[in-house]
Amino acid sequence: MSLEEELGSRLREVIRAEQRAFPEPVDLEGRLIRAVGRARPGPRRPGIARELTLAAALLLFVAVVGGGVTAIHWLSQARGTATTKSPAPTASPSTGGGASLISAVTFVSSERGWVVLASPADSGARQLLMTVDQGRHWSSQLTWTGNSSMSRNGKVPAVLMTFVDAAHGFVLDPNASAGRAVLFRTADGGSTWQRLALPGALAPGSPLAFVDPENGWLLADVNAAMGQSAATIYRTRDGGDHWTAIAHVDYGATAANGLSSAGDKDSLVFASTSTGWLTAFTMNGAPLVWSTNDGGVSWTQRPLPAPAGINVGGNETPLAPVPVPGGSVLLPVQINLIPAPNGQPQTVPSGGYPSALYLYSSAGAGQAWSPPLRLPASGSDAGPLVLKVLDRMHWWVGSGTQLWSTADGGATWSTSTLPGVLASIDFTTASTGLAVTVVPSAPGTFAKQTTLLTSSDGGAHWQTVSLPSAA
Amino acid sequence: MLDTERRPWTEPLIEALARPAYRLAVYMSRDPTLAQDIVQEAFVRVLESPNTPRDPKAFRAYLYRVVLNLVRDQHRRQSRWAALRIFSAPPSDPADEVQHHHRDAALARAMRRLDRAQREAVYLRFFEDASYEEIGRMLSRREASVRVLVHRALAKLRESLGQDGLLSLGEEA
């Protein structure tokens, strides 16, 4: 081997090792496409304008990265590892609002995002579409056949989707094939998709969490009954290719790892490869929360203080915990507002009891929880309660056509009205967000129509995004 | 937003070259935040130019030349910027240091002792596998000049490793 060859080989390793000390930026390509798109061919722009553009782009980048650390979760079970090559992207003209139902939507930046469409009559057809220009054009990346399975918002077929960065994403259909879940994974921004196997039957809430493209956890084999449940927690370190059981508790037992069979295990969320939370629903008390600091091997249950001023007699549904930058965590809980027993027969309102969202917080990654803050929205059959927590300060909560937003951690709220009933909401920065609204139908049936909306002013105003009809 | 005329040829170039260009910028600047800004600025400048080549190989040479020029510009201004810098390169992980081969650590130190032009040429030659002709276009030098630059850089690396008592590399050369 010549000097040049030998040195070249070793230099490559040395340079790679040094480069690994620096983080790979998230969505660098999206940032560049946006920046280049703003620039026009021709004479150079004045320097100051360029500096401002750079500063704005940098702020957007930081905000996206900040918002992007939110853990990811869903459900599924699948077999097979076939890789599907996406059709070549096309700048397909979009049709109007569309009768297809939006089952899931996620954006990694203001311009790059994905939606899953279901056929309006839910024939089972599912289609994943991607945009890189705020929804002006969409390209189909994946199609599969699902099964009727209502999402938790009770309005659209359940599909869960997340992207940990612009390249790595997962799509989970919990009930796609003979009642079994299907998990798809991409590592190249959707150009190709791989169908993965999962080791157990998934818990009903948000049972799958990834903190990066490799490290993920799965809450499975819950088998809840009579207010108790078993559980097995699986761990992957290679993006879902292999899963290892790292913690287990039997039904009716307490395990040495700190888990017990109390409650219906529901959701599993991780903020890092060490810190995570597991939640459970109980029939007659506050939800249960366990936390781990060793990647899910051992767990400690942490009590939640009761909300003040309301009758708490069960009917408290924990949503998935939300890790926020800085090491703290928020836990939203939806509580049905049932009057306290007074010795007299009580009549249940025709639309059911109203519900409210309470937000618990913990500065110590779930070591101790503060008394909850009641959020402004009230839920009813008219529409589900929807919530987005971007960071410690910026939250959005909605019900029906009303949306409340705060930029100071709930101290003050602004309201706006959307042109439809909210089914879900998401924000990638304090200003840039999207919402799915529905035209409701009878309870227990899918919505008649869904619409995708975007906002660039924190939710004060919304614009409709056109989507093609499902294939 | 890319317009429909530029989208078909610019977007694949961005997808293909954004991260290699970033790695070049971060290796030369040792500042990931600055490297991202430099790569963005480089793409904007290159794609604004009416003379930008559309051939991927020529485009890469053009882009890298702008990236390296911007890194040099930043280093020239470094004293002015030093007080304002918020982010700095993360310290090396002691565990990583232990894992690294002793000789590779010495080689990394030796690389840092090269002057800027030599380091650029060595990076492009050995990490990017660029030809001398391509490096010449990237560094605005003649091919023969690049060969001399790389030759001298290798000699300097050998000398540094020898001073560290670690010379076994290429002793036959």
Side-chain angles (χ1 to χ4, degrees), chain A residues 7 12 18 23 29 31 50, chain B residues 19 37 40-41 126 154:
Chain A
L7 186 58
R12 270 189 287 276
E18 291 207 4
E29 295 81 2
R31 174 185 173 177
R50 179 177 308 280
Chain B
R19 286 177 193 273
D37 287 345
Q40 176 176 318
E41 176 71 1
F126 295 107
L154 296 181

Side-chain angles (χ1 to χ4, degrees), chain B residues 7-40:
Chain B
R7 171 190 297 276
W9 68 276
T10 55
E11 204 165 310
L13 290 171
I14 289 173
E15 296 284 352
L17 291 172
R19 286 177 193 273
Y22 166 78
R23 291 184 196 115
L24 170 63
V26 82
Y27 184 74
M28 299 308 299
S29 69
R30 308 190 66 74
D31 183 330
T33 305
L34 177 63
Q36 290 171 45
D37 287 345
I38 283 173
V39 171
Q40 176 176 318

Side-chain angles (χ1 to χ4, degrees), chain A residues 152 205 266-267 279-282 285-288 314-320 331-336 355-358 360:
Chain A
R152 276 214 163 159
D266 189 73
S267 295
T279 61
F281 169 84
T282 63
L288 304 178
N315 298 297
E316 297 181 51
T317 305
L319 308 184
L331 175 66
V333 176
Q334 183 167 338
I335 300 178
N336 284 351
S355 59
L357 272 177
Y358 284 77
Y360 289 89

